[in-house]
Amino acid sequence: MTGGVSERIQRERLKAGGLGSAHSAVPYQNQDFQALRAECLQDGCLFQDPLFPAEPSSLGFKELGPRTTKTRGVEWKRPTELTDSPQFIMGGATRTDICQGALGDCWLLAAIGSLTLNEHLLHRVVPHSQSFTQQYAGIFHFQFWQFGEWVDVVVDDRLPVKDGELLFVHSAEGREFWSALLEKAYAKLNGSYEALSGGSTTEGFEDFTGGVAEMYELKDAPPDLHRIIRKALERGSLLGCSIDITSAFDMEAVTFKKLVKGHAYSVTAIRQVDYRGQQERLIRIRNPWGQVEWTGAWSDNSSEWNAVDAADKDQLLCSMEDGEFWMSFQEFLRQFSRLEVCNLTPDALTQDSSRFWNTTMFEGGWRKGSTAGGCRNHPNTFWINPQYRIRLLEEDDDPEDEESACSFLVALMQKHRRRHRQHGQDVHTIGFAIYEIPEELRGRPGVHLKKDFFLRRSSCARSHTFINLREVSARLRLPPGEYLVVPSTFEPAKEADFVLRVFTEKQAESGEMDDLIEADLDQEEEISESDVDESFKAMFAQLSGNDQQISPGELRTVLNRVMTKHKDLQTDGFSVEACRSMVSLMDKDGSARLGLLEFQVLWNKIRKWLVIFREFDLDRSGCMSSYEMRLALENGGFKLNNKLHQVLVARYADNETIDFDNFTCCLVKLEAVFRMFQELDRDGTGSVEMNIAEWLCMSMCG
């Protein structure tokens, strides 16, 4: 556990220094492409990836598992073994380089296809200067956005082949291999090829750009969709639209006005023109095929253009590429089924992008017993979920908008769930709720709001639904103010890591709403022998023996004897280790034993803790739930943040419950470490400096 904590702290420091940004990708699984390629070139060998080997386990675990019919007879071959002169990219990356194989990942291929339309984005995912001739060593690399950071994924070029043909993605021409190697790198990132089966294009959009995706069903389009599209285009967002298919026969079927069903189009512009004395809203669509175009109203040669000002007509028709066409916005809503928007972060945009979303990202986790509270249907635990504050300062400056409101996007994404599929796990059902923060709590980030707050207030916005997708997002408009976002799984006690991203139109302030770490410790109790009750002295004399000192073993005997008299408490009994900690907390003379007065002070503490324990054992079960413990610790004077509660639950809870002995041990440990820290932090700065000997002494004795 200690190693994990130190590793996490080190990683957070590297991230603060820029590692994981678009300009400094994290080497995935610590594999450095340049170093590995140089090593292979020096040794005169071709790279063989030990972390994603050319073995059945890399193909899959169920339908593509070892010894299944789909994988029987599969061989792994390098492109140099499949064709005389393999090419990485020939004449630029195009849609025809991406033909689907025996894997249900058309969602991924559609995203790759969209990527080929944006050279700036494509070159980040598929780095330049890779080939089968210059410095060829059987190794390639690709870059993907993963849950808040860019990672550089290395693969060897051994590809799965069956009956002499590539099993998965391949180019139509047969000699171009960038798309097959890209798919392999993405499969490695997710654990296997089979882990890529099934998904939505937006997932691929996001992993190739670091953006956040939205989806609109056009039959239920919001009234301001034209404004959303205009602003998205101004920000350089990727926009795609498609027509649903009702059966396999519909796939790529052409309608009588030359629109293709089940096919991904791009939206490239939106304009208004003066048409017969009225304003007509038009939208420009692009067919990546470059040929089949809409033949209805406002198409290239339609009569509607004759009633438009000649200058407008020339400007709108001359700026089009092959495959692009205009149609009326209302016709667009009727003909197309769905619009997908991938909003890009500033680092993904080219220099000439004048407008962009302001973005904030939080990394968090739901942990059983400490931060996995479930949705609002579970009022006893909902409040323990992580909480985040957004302060919306300025309303949108939009002349079309009559109400003053702030536009923002909230996107909640759970991490690494595809990787867990082979262990029988998949995505959780997730969502979020948003609350207005009352005036008295505004500007106070160091407060984690408790159960009473949520019982008394309704949410002012929320995700449209709780759903079992990797990401749930919602575009919202609220008046300027301060708001609380609470992300959660639908059911309590579901564990996962997540990324919460907030995209605001104007500058906004945000931060985690988490309790500040502080301890309100009582003054050390000063007592004399005259303060000790005679019956207590007699008990002490009987327990302590000839040396009149109580050892950890003797303390254990007396505590466990007392516990048997409290039938309402559940306990496994105090361990010797727990009693050593108690003795260490109270031992003032370094004897590793307790004298009468030290024992009396400890006894007073235990009685106080027993009162707190009973008060917060709300269901009178004899033990506390882990979220009841959080409230009990706060009542005992300890305010701790989410990370510390996760540590304490992992250390002291058993199946999310804490019995009295573990509760006592937890309080003993907390008091000991806080007192040690306060002694070292004499100036009250909140930080201390110590050498290795002091650190070890404190760690081993605490």
PDB file of all heavy atoms in Angstrom, residues 362 387-391 437 440-450 482-484 509-517 639 641-642:
ATOM      1  N   PHE A 362     -11.242  16.905 -13.470  1.00  0.00           N
ATOM      2  CA  PHE A 362     -10.994  16.329 -12.147  1.00  0.00           C
ATOM      3  C   PHE A 362     -10.866  14.818 -12.290  1.00  0.00           C
ATOM      4  O   PHE A 362     -11.609  14.194 -13.050  1.00  0.00           O
ATOM      5  CB  PHE A 362     -12.162  16.623 -11.190  1.00  0.00           C
ATOM      6  CG  PHE A 362     -12.439  18.083 -10.998  1.00  0.00           C
ATOM      7  CD1 PHE A 362     -13.500  18.695 -11.656  1.00  0.00           C
ATOM      8  CD2 PHE A 362     -11.642  18.850 -10.173  1.00  0.00           C
ATOM      9  CE1 PHE A 362     -13.766  20.037 -11.492  1.00  0.00           C
ATOM     10  CE2 PHE A 362     -11.902  20.210  -9.997  1.00  0.00           C
ATOM     11  CZ  PHE A 362     -12.968  20.799 -10.657  1.00  0.00           C
ATOM     12  N   GLN A 387     -17.521  15.427  -4.559  1.00  0.00           N
ATOM     13  CA  GLN A 387     -18.297  16.633  -4.860  1.00  0.00           C
ATOM     14  C   GLN A 387     -17.371  17.691  -5.481  1.00  0.00           C
ATOM     15  O   GLN A 387     -16.226  17.841  -5.043  1.00  0.00           O
ATOM     16  CB  GLN A 387     -18.922  17.198  -3.574  1.00  0.00           C
ATOM     17  CG  GLN A 387     -19.853  16.226  -2.869  1.00  0.00           C
ATOM     18  CD  GLN A 387     -20.334  16.747  -1.519  1.00  0.00           C
ATOM     19  OE1 GLN A 387     -20.095  17.910  -1.156  1.00  0.00           O
ATOM     20  NE2 GLN A 387     -21.014  15.900  -0.762  1.00  0.00           N
ATOM     21  N   TYR A 388     -17.888  18.408  -6.489  1.00  0.00           N
ATOM     22  CA  TYR A 388     -17.077  19.401  -7.195  1.00  0.00           C
ATOM     23  C   TYR A 388     -17.869  20.698  -7.354  1.00  0.00           C
ATOM     24  O   TYR A 388     -19.071  20.672  -7.608  1.00  0.00           O
ATOM     25  CB  TYR A 388     -16.652  18.871  -8.572  1.00  0.00           C
ATOM     26  CG  TYR A 388     -15.864  17.583  -8.455  1.00  0.00           C
ATOM     27  CD1 TYR A 388     -16.517  16.352  -8.527  1.00  0.00           C
ATOM     28  CD2 TYR A 388     -14.494  17.609  -8.224  1.00  0.00           C
ATOM     29  CE1 TYR A 388     -15.808  15.167  -8.377  1.00  0.00           C
ATOM     30  CE2 TYR A 388     -13.777  16.429  -8.082  1.00  0.00           C
ATOM     31  CZ  TYR A 388     -14.437  15.207  -8.149  1.00  0.00           C
ATOM     32  OH  TYR A 388     -13.735  14.045  -7.995  1.00  0.00           O
ATOM     33  N   ARG A 389     -17.165  21.806  -7.204  1.00  0.00           N
ATOM     34  CA  ARG A 389     -17.793  23.132  -7.253  1.00  0.00           C
ATOM     35  C   ARG A 389     -17.482  23.802  -8.591  1.00  0.00           C
ATOM     36  O   ARG A 389     -16.345  23.761  -9.070  1.00  0.00           O
ATOM     37  CB  ARG A 389     -17.232  23.986  -6.115  1.00  0.00           C
ATOM     38  CG  ARG A 389     -17.723  25.412  -6.058  1.00  0.00           C
ATOM     39  CD  ARG A 389     -17.101  26.127  -4.851  1.00  0.00           C
ATOM     40  NE  ARG A 389     -15.655  26.079  -4.901  1.00  0.00           N
ATOM     41  CZ  ARG A 389     -14.882  26.989  -5.490  1.00  0.00           C
ATOM     42  NH1 ARG A 389     -15.434  28.034  -6.083  1.00  0.00           N
ATOM     43  NH2 ARG A 389     -13.569  26.880  -5.486  1.00  0.00           N
ATOM     44  N   ILE A 390     -18.500  24.402  -9.218  1.00  0.00           N
ATOM     45  CA  ILE A 390     -18.295  25.228 -10.418  1.00  0.00           C
ATOM     46  C   ILE A 390     -18.871  26.609 -10.125  1.00  0.00           C
ATOM     47  O   ILE A 390     -20.030  26.731  -9.731  1.00  0.00           O
ATOM     48  CB  ILE A 390     -19.043  24.691 -11.655  1.00  0.00           C
ATOM     49  CG1 ILE A 390     -18.801  23.216 -11.866  1.00  0.00           C
ATOM     50  CG2 ILE A 390     -18.628  25.460 -12.898  1.00  0.00           C
ATOM     51  CD1 ILE A 390     -19.688  22.646 -12.959  1.00  0.00           C
ATOM     52  N   ARG A 391     -18.078  27.622 -10.348  1.00  0.00           N
ATOM     53  CA  ARG A 391     -18.556  28.998 -10.170  1.00  0.00           C
ATOM     54  C   ARG A 391     -18.651  29.641 -11.540  1.00  0.00           C
ATOM     55  O   ARG A 391     -17.634  29.917 -12.180  1.00  0.00           O
ATOM     56  CB  ARG A 391     -17.583  29.771  -9.273  1.00  0.00           C
ATOM     57  CG  ARG A 391     -18.149  31.088  -8.801  1.00  0.00           C
ATOM     58  CD  ARG A 391     -17.283  31.673  -7.700  1.00  0.00           C
ATOM     59  NE  ARG A 391     -17.671  33.038  -7.424  1.00  0.00           N
ATOM     60  CZ  ARG A 391     -16.812  34.024  -7.192  1.00  0.00           C
ATOM     61  NH1 ARG A 391     -15.522  33.784  -7.212  1.00  0.00           N
ATOM     62  NH2 ARG A 391     -17.240  35.230  -6.934  1.00  0.00           N
ATOM     63  N   ILE A 437     -25.372  26.020  -4.820  1.00  0.00           N
ATOM     64  CA  ILE A 437     -24.758  26.149  -3.492  1.00  0.00           C
ATOM     65  C   ILE A 437     -25.357  27.376  -2.799  1.00  0.00           C
ATOM     66  O   ILE A 437     -25.378  28.472  -3.379  1.00  0.00           O
ATOM     67  CB  ILE A 437     -23.225  26.278  -3.609  1.00  0.00           C
ATOM     68  CG1 ILE A 437     -22.646  24.972  -4.174  1.00  0.00           C
ATOM     69  CG2 ILE A 437     -22.596  26.600  -2.263  1.00  0.00           C
ATOM     70  CD1 ILE A 437     -21.155  24.991  -4.405  1.00  0.00           C
ATOM     71  N   GLU A 440     -24.546  31.066   1.997  1.00  0.00           N
ATOM     72  CA  GLU A 440     -23.649  30.992   3.161  1.00  0.00           C
ATOM     73  C   GLU A 440     -22.453  30.057   2.941  1.00  0.00           C
ATOM     74  O   GLU A 440     -21.469  30.097   3.687  1.00  0.00           O
ATOM     75  CB  GLU A 440     -24.424  30.558   4.422  1.00  0.00           C
ATOM     76  CG  GLU A 440     -24.999  29.143   4.391  1.00  0.00           C
ATOM     77  CD  GLU A 440     -26.392  29.055   3.772  1.00  0.00           C
ATOM     78  OE1 GLU A 440     -26.806  30.015   3.076  1.00  0.00           O
ATOM     79  OE2 GLU A 440     -27.049  28.030   3.990  1.00  0.00           O
ATOM     80  N   LEU A 441     -22.543  29.194   1.896  1.00  0.00           N
ATOM     81  CA  LEU A 441     -21.440  28.257   1.645  1.00  0.00           C
ATOM     82  C   LEU A 441     -20.622  28.635   0.411  1.00  0.00           C
ATOM     83  O   LEU A 441     -19.672  27.940   0.059  1.00  0.00           O
ATOM     84  CB  LEU A 441     -21.993  26.836   1.467  1.00  0.00           C
ATOM     85  CG  LEU A 441     -22.601  26.191   2.711  1.00  0.00           C
ATOM     86  CD1 LEU A 441     -23.247  24.863   2.359  1.00  0.00           C
ATOM     87  CD2 LEU A 441     -21.542  25.986   3.783  1.00  0.00           C
ATOM     88  N   ARG A 442     -20.983  29.732  -0.263  1.00  0.00           N
ATOM     89  CA  ARG A 442     -20.268  30.108  -1.475  1.00  0.00           C
ATOM     90  C   ARG A 442     -18.844  30.537  -1.147  1.00  0.00           C
ATOM     91  O   ARG A 442     -18.599  31.186  -0.139  1.00  0.00           O
ATOM     92  CB  ARG A 442     -21.002  31.233  -2.206  1.00  0.00           C
ATOM     93  CG  ARG A 442     -22.243  30.700  -2.898  1.00  0.00           C
ATOM     94  CD  ARG A 442     -23.059  31.767  -3.577  1.00  0.00           C
ATOM     95  NE  ARG A 442     -24.378  31.229  -3.910  1.00  0.00           N
ATOM     96  CZ  ARG A 442     -25.413  31.951  -4.276  1.00  0.00           C
ATOM     97  NH1 ARG A 442     -25.294  33.261  -4.356  1.00  0.00           N
ATOM     98  NH2 ARG A 442     -26.568  31.389  -4.562  1.00  0.00           N
ATOM     99  N   GLY A 443     -17.924  30.146  -2.028  1.00  0.00           N
ATOM    100  CA  GLY A 443     -16.519  30.509  -1.843  1.00  0.00           C
ATOM    101  C   GLY A 443     -15.821  29.706  -0.773  1.00  0.00           C
ATOM    102  O   GLY A 443     -14.695  30.022  -0.382  1.00  0.00           O
ATOM    103  N   ARG A 444     -16.460  28.644  -0.294  1.00  0.00           N
ATOM    104  CA  ARG A 444     -15.830  27.805   0.738  1.00  0.00           C
ATOM    105  C   ARG A 444     -15.615  26.396   0.191  1.00  0.00           C
ATOM    106  O   ARG A 444     -16.421  25.495   0.415  1.00  0.00           O
ATOM    107  CB  ARG A 444     -16.720  27.746   1.981  1.00  0.00           C
ATOM    108  CG  ARG A 444     -16.813  29.060   2.735  1.00  0.00           C
ATOM    109  CD  ARG A 444     -17.717  28.912   3.948  1.00  0.00           C
ATOM    110  NE  ARG A 444     -17.268  27.863   4.842  1.00  0.00           N
ATOM    111  CZ  ARG A 444     -18.020  27.301   5.789  1.00  0.00           C
ATOM    112  NH1 ARG A 444     -19.273  27.697   5.944  1.00  0.00           N
ATOM    113  NH2 ARG A 444     -17.545  26.357   6.564  1.00  0.00           N
ATOM    114  N   PRO A 445     -14.504  26.164  -0.524  1.00  0.00           N
ATOM    115  CA  PRO A 445     -14.287  24.846  -1.129  1.00  0.00           C
ATOM    116  C   PRO A 445     -13.985  23.752  -0.109  1.00  0.00           C
ATOM    117  O   PRO A 445     -14.190  22.584  -0.371  1.00  0.00           O
ATOM    118  CB  PRO A 445     -13.071  25.074  -2.047  1.00  0.00           C
ATOM    119  CG  PRO A 445     -12.377  26.266  -1.468  1.00  0.00           C
ATOM    120  CD  PRO A 445     -13.441  27.113  -0.863  1.00  0.00           C
ATOM    121  N   GLY A 446     -13.484  24.112   1.080  1.00  0.00           N
ATOM    122  CA  GLY A 446     -13.082  23.108   2.071  1.00  0.00           C
ATOM    123  C   GLY A 446     -14.231  22.567   2.882  1.00  0.00           C
ATOM    124  O   GLY A 446     -14.112  22.398   4.103  1.00  0.00           O
ATOM    125  N   VAL A 447     -15.362  22.311   2.243  1.00  0.00           N
ATOM    126  CA  VAL A 447     -16.537  21.775   2.947  1.00  0.00           C
ATOM    127  C   VAL A 447     -17.138  20.660   2.102  1.00  0.00           C
ATOM    128  O   VAL A 447     -17.533  20.893   0.962  1.00  0.00           O
ATOM    129  CB  VAL A 447     -17.611  22.867   3.171  1.00  0.00           C
ATOM    130  CG1 VAL A 447     -18.817  22.278   3.887  1.00  0.00           C
ATOM    131  CG2 VAL A 447     -17.042  24.038   3.944  1.00  0.00           C
ATOM    132  N   HIS A 448     -17.196  19.461   2.638  1.00  0.00           N
ATOM    133  CA  HIS A 448     -17.882  18.361   1.958  1.00  0.00           C
ATOM    134  C   HIS A 448     -19.309  18.334   2.513  1.00  0.00           C
ATOM    135  O   HIS A 448     -19.513  18.114   3.703  1.00  0.00           O
ATOM    136  CB  HIS A 448     -17.164  17.035   2.247  1.00  0.00           C
ATOM    137  CG  HIS A 448     -17.720  15.875   1.493  1.00  0.00           C
ATOM    138  ND1 HIS A 448     -17.218  15.454   0.288  1.00  0.00           N
ATOM    139  CD2 HIS A 448     -18.760  15.050   1.766  1.00  0.00           C
ATOM    140  CE1 HIS A 448     -17.913  14.417  -0.142  1.00  0.00           C
ATOM    141  NE2 HIS A 448     -18.856  14.160   0.743  1.00  0.00           N
ATOM    142  N   LEU A 449     -20.292  18.586   1.635  1.00  0.00           N
ATOM    143  CA  LEU A 449     -21.671  18.724   2.119  1.00  0.00           C
ATOM    144  C   LEU A 449     -22.235  17.373   2.550  1.00  0.00           C
ATOM    145  O   LEU A 449     -22.012  16.352   1.894  1.00  0.00           O
ATOM    146  CB  LEU A 449     -22.540  19.359   1.038  1.00  0.00           C
ATOM    147  CG  LEU A 449     -22.102  20.790   0.692  1.00  0.00           C
ATOM    148  CD1 LEU A 449     -22.876  21.336  -0.479  1.00  0.00           C
ATOM    149  CD2 LEU A 449     -22.246  21.713   1.897  1.00  0.00           C
ATOM    150  N   LYS A 450     -22.984  17.403   3.638  1.00  0.00           N
ATOM    151  CA  LYS A 450     -23.435  16.166   4.270  1.00  0.00           C
ATOM    152  C   LYS A 450     -24.898  15.855   3.915  1.00  0.00           C
ATOM    153  O   LYS A 450     -25.558  16.584   3.186  1.00  0.00           O
ATOM    154  CB  LYS A 450     -23.262  16.272   5.799  1.00  0.00           C
ATOM    155  CG  LYS A 450     -21.834  16.622   6.250  1.00  0.00           C
ATOM    156  CD  LYS A 450     -20.821  15.576   5.853  1.00  0.00           C
ATOM    157  CE  LYS A 450     -19.443  15.820   6.446  1.00  0.00           C
ATOM    158  NZ  LYS A 450     -18.718  16.977   5.947  1.00  0.00           N
ATOM    159  N   GLU A 482     -23.007  29.743  -8.175  1.00  0.00           N
ATOM    160  CA  GLU A 482     -22.076  28.699  -7.733  1.00  0.00           C
ATOM    161  C   GLU A 482     -22.838  27.385  -7.605  1.00  0.00           C
ATOM    162  O   GLU A 482     -23.908  27.343  -6.979  1.00  0.00           O
ATOM    163  CB  GLU A 482     -21.454  29.101  -6.395  1.00  0.00           C
ATOM    164  CG  GLU A 482     -20.143  28.402  -6.125  1.00  0.00           C
ATOM    165  CD  GLU A 482     -19.332  29.104  -5.035  1.00  0.00           C
ATOM    166  OE1 GLU A 482     -19.126  30.337  -5.113  1.00  0.00           O
ATOM    167  OE2 GLU A 482     -18.928  28.414  -4.097  1.00  0.00           O
ATOM    168  N   TYR A 483     -22.290  26.330  -8.203  1.00  0.00           N
ATOM    169  CA  TYR A 483     -23.011  25.059  -8.291  1.00  0.00           C
ATOM    170  C   TYR A 483     -22.134  23.892  -7.842  1.00  0.00           C
ATOM    171  O   TYR A 483     -20.903  23.947  -7.923  1.00  0.00           O
ATOM    172  CB  TYR A 483     -23.493  24.827  -9.731  1.00  0.00           C
ATOM    173  CG  TYR A 483     -24.459  25.894 -10.194  1.00  0.00           C
ATOM    174  CD1 TYR A 483     -24.003  27.025 -10.877  1.00  0.00           C
ATOM    175  CD2 TYR A 483     -25.822  25.798  -9.906  1.00  0.00           C
ATOM    176  CE1 TYR A 483     -24.881  28.021 -11.272  1.00  0.00           C
ATOM    177  CE2 TYR A 483     -26.702  26.796 -10.304  1.00  0.00           C
ATOM    178  CZ  TYR A 483     -26.230  27.906 -10.982  1.00  0.00           C
ATOM    179  OH  TYR A 483     -27.113  28.884 -11.364  1.00  0.00           O
ATOM    180  N   LEU A 484     -22.820  22.843  -7.390  1.00  0.00           N
ATOM    181  CA  LEU A 484     -22.155  21.634  -6.918  1.00  0.00           C
ATOM    182  C   LEU A 484     -22.496  20.488  -7.869  1.00  0.00           C
ATOM    183  O   LEU A 484     -23.669  20.239  -8.141  1.00  0.00           O
ATOM    184  CB  LEU A 484     -22.667  21.296  -5.509  1.00  0.00           C
ATOM    185  CG  LEU A 484     -22.052  20.073  -4.836  1.00  0.00           C
ATOM    186  CD1 LEU A 484     -20.645  20.389  -4.358  1.00  0.00           C
ATOM    187  CD2 LEU A 484     -22.915  19.623  -3.647  1.00  0.00           C
ATOM    188  N   GLU A 509     -14.604  29.376 -12.351  1.00  0.00           N
ATOM    189  CA  GLU A 509     -13.737  28.847 -11.287  1.00  0.00           C
ATOM    190  C   GLU A 509     -14.295  27.508 -10.850  1.00  0.00           C
ATOM    191  O   GLU A 509     -15.512  27.322 -10.808  1.00  0.00           O
ATOM    192  CB  GLU A 509     -13.702  29.816 -10.100  1.00  0.00           C
ATOM    193  CG  GLU A 509     -13.031  31.138 -10.418  1.00  0.00           C
ATOM    194  CD  GLU A 509     -13.129  32.114  -9.254  1.00  0.00           C
ATOM    195  OE1 GLU A 509     -13.669  31.731  -8.188  1.00  0.00           O
ATOM    196  OE2 GLU A 509     -12.675  33.264  -9.406  1.00  0.00           O
ATOM    197  N   SER A 510     -13.426  26.589 -10.520  1.00  0.00           N
ATOM    198  CA  SER A 510     -13.918  25.275 -10.082  1.00  0.00           C
ATOM    199  C   SER A 510     -12.902  24.624  -9.163  1.00  0.00           C
ATOM    200  O   SER A 510     -11.727  25.007  -9.121  1.00  0.00           O
ATOM    201  CB  SER A 510     -14.197  24.376 -11.292  1.00  0.00           C
ATOM    202  OG  SER A 510     -13.059  24.317 -12.109  1.00  0.00           O
ATOM    203  N   GLY A 511     -13.351  23.638  -8.431  1.00  0.00           N
ATOM    204  CA  GLY A 511     -12.469  22.923  -7.516  1.00  0.00           C
ATOM    205  C   GLY A 511     -13.239  21.806  -6.831  1.00  0.00           C
ATOM    206  O   GLY A 511     -14.468  21.749  -6.894  1.00  0.00           O
ATOM    207  N   GLU A 512     -12.507  20.924  -6.174  1.00  0.00           N
ATOM    208  CA  GLU A 512     -13.160  19.829  -5.459  1.00  0.00           C
ATOM    209  C   GLU A 512     -13.724  20.352  -4.140  1.00  0.00           C
ATOM    210  O   GLU A 512     -13.082  21.143  -3.448  1.00  0.00           O
ATOM    211  CB  GLU A 512     -12.155  18.696  -5.192  1.00  0.00           C
ATOM    212  CG  GLU A 512     -12.820  17.475  -4.587  1.00  0.00           C
ATOM    213  CD  GLU A 512     -11.920  16.239  -4.575  1.00  0.00           C
ATOM    214  OE1 GLU A 512     -10.771  16.328  -5.030  1.00  0.00           O
ATOM    215  OE2 GLU A 512     -12.391  15.191  -4.101  1.00  0.00           O
ATOM    216  N   MET A 513     -14.934  19.936  -3.818  1.00  0.00           N
ATOM    217  CA  MET A 513     -15.534  20.262  -2.515  1.00  0.00           C
ATOM    218  C   MET A 513     -15.177  19.120  -1.575  1.00  0.00           C
ATOM    219  O   MET A 513     -15.831  18.070  -1.580  1.00  0.00           O
ATOM    220  CB  MET A 513     -17.053  20.386  -2.635  1.00  0.00           C
ATOM    221  CG  MET A 513     -17.521  21.618  -3.373  1.00  0.00           C
ATOM    222  SD  MET A 513     -17.459  23.114  -2.371  1.00  0.00           S
ATOM    223  CE  MET A 513     -18.920  22.954  -1.352  1.00  0.00           C
ATOM    224  N   ASP A 514     -14.128  19.303  -0.838  1.00  0.00           N
ATOM    225  CA  ASP A 514     -13.673  18.236   0.051  1.00  0.00           C
ATOM    226  C   ASP A 514     -13.262  18.869   1.367  1.00  0.00           C
ATOM    227  O   ASP A 514     -12.745  19.992   1.391  1.00  0.00           O
ATOM    228  CB  ASP A 514     -12.475  17.513  -0.584  1.00  0.00           C
ATOM    229  CG  ASP A 514     -12.309  16.095  -0.064  1.00  0.00           C
ATOM    230  OD1 ASP A 514     -13.061  15.715   0.859  1.00  0.00           O
ATOM    231  OD2 ASP A 514     -11.430  15.379  -0.569  1.00  0.00           O
ATOM    232  N   ASP A 515     -13.516  18.162   2.464  1.00  0.00           N
ATOM    233  CA  ASP A 515     -13.177  18.713   3.776  1.00  0.00           C
ATOM    234  C   ASP A 515     -11.678  18.980   3.885  1.00  0.00           C
ATOM    235  O   ASP A 515     -10.853  18.184   3.413  1.00  0.00           O
ATOM    236  CB  ASP A 515     -13.597  17.737   4.885  1.00  0.00           C
ATOM    237  CG  ASP A 515     -15.104  17.706   5.072  1.00  0.00           C
ATOM    238  OD1 ASP A 515     -15.751  18.740   4.858  1.00  0.00           O
ATOM    239  OD2 ASP A 515     -15.638  16.633   5.424  1.00  0.00           O
ATOM    240  N   LEU A 516     -11.341  20.122   4.491  1.00  0.00           N
ATOM    241  CA  LEU A 516      -9.943  20.392   4.812  1.00  0.00           C
ATOM    242  C   LEU A 516      -9.502  19.431   5.902  1.00  0.00           C
ATOM    243  O   LEU A 516     -10.293  19.040   6.767  1.00  0.00           O
ATOM    244  CB  LEU A 516      -9.783  21.837   5.301  1.00  0.00           C
ATOM    245  CG  LEU A 516     -10.102  22.938   4.286  1.00  0.00           C
ATOM    246  CD1 LEU A 516     -10.059  24.300   4.961  1.00  0.00           C
ATOM    247  CD2 LEU A 516      -9.128  22.883   3.122  1.00  0.00           C
ATOM    248  N   ILE A 517      -8.246  19.045   5.873  1.00  0.00           N
ATOM    249  CA  ILE A 517      -7.734  18.121   6.897  1.00  0.00           C
ATOM    250  C   ILE A 517      -7.378  18.930   8.140  1.00  0.00           C
ATOM    251  O   ILE A 517      -6.530  19.827   8.093  1.00  0.00           O
ATOM    252  CB  ILE A 517      -6.489  17.374   6.376  1.00  0.00           C
ATOM    253  CG1 ILE A 517      -6.846  16.551   5.132  1.00  0.00           C
ATOM    254  CG2 ILE A 517      -5.898  16.489   7.455  1.00  0.00           C
ATOM    255  CD1 ILE A 517      -5.658  15.969   4.408  1.00  0.00           C
ATOM    256  N   LYS A 639     -11.437  16.114  10.933  1.00  0.00           N
ATOM    257  CA  LYS A 639     -11.979  16.350   9.587  1.00  0.00           C
ATOM    258  C   LYS A 639     -10.953  15.821   8.599  1.00  0.00           C
ATOM    259  O   LYS A 639      -9.798  16.255   8.611  1.00  0.00           O
ATOM    260  CB  LYS A 639     -12.222  17.841   9.360  1.00  0.00           C
ATOM    261  CG  LYS A 639     -13.607  18.290   9.718  1.00  0.00           C
ATOM    262  CD  LYS A 639     -13.900  19.647   9.096  1.00  0.00           C
ATOM    263  CE  LYS A 639     -15.377  19.992   9.220  1.00  0.00           C
ATOM    264  NZ  LYS A 639     -15.690  21.270   8.593  1.00  0.00           N
ATOM    265  N   ASN A 641     -10.201  14.308   4.383  1.00  0.00           N
ATOM    266  CA  ASN A 641     -10.705  14.364   3.008  1.00  0.00           C
ATOM    267  C   ASN A 641     -11.018  12.966   2.470  1.00  0.00           C
ATOM    268  O   ASN A 641     -10.811  11.950   3.148  1.00  0.00           O
ATOM    269  CB  ASN A 641      -9.723  15.116   2.098  1.00  0.00           C
ATOM    270  CG  ASN A 641      -8.391  14.388   1.952  1.00  0.00           C
ATOM    271  OD1 ASN A 641      -8.254  13.217   2.324  1.00  0.00           O
ATOM    272  ND2 ASN A 641      -7.405  15.078   1.401  1.00  0.00           N
ATOM    273  N   ASN A 642     -11.516  12.910   1.228  1.00  0.00           N
ATOM    274  CA  ASN A 642     -11.947  11.630   0.644  1.00  0.00           C
ATOM    275  C   ASN A 642     -10.825  10.602   0.575  1.00  0.00           C
ATOM    276  O   ASN A 642     -11.030   9.424   0.847  1.00  0.00           O
ATOM    277  CB  ASN A 642     -12.504  11.854  -0.764  1.00  0.00           C
ATOM    278  CG  ASN A 642     -13.912  12.436  -0.734  1.00  0.00           C
ATOM    279  OD1 ASN A 642     -14.625  12.275   0.249  1.00  0.00           O
ATOM    280  ND2 ASN A 642     -14.302  13.110  -1.790  1.00  0.00           N
TER     281      ASN A 642
END
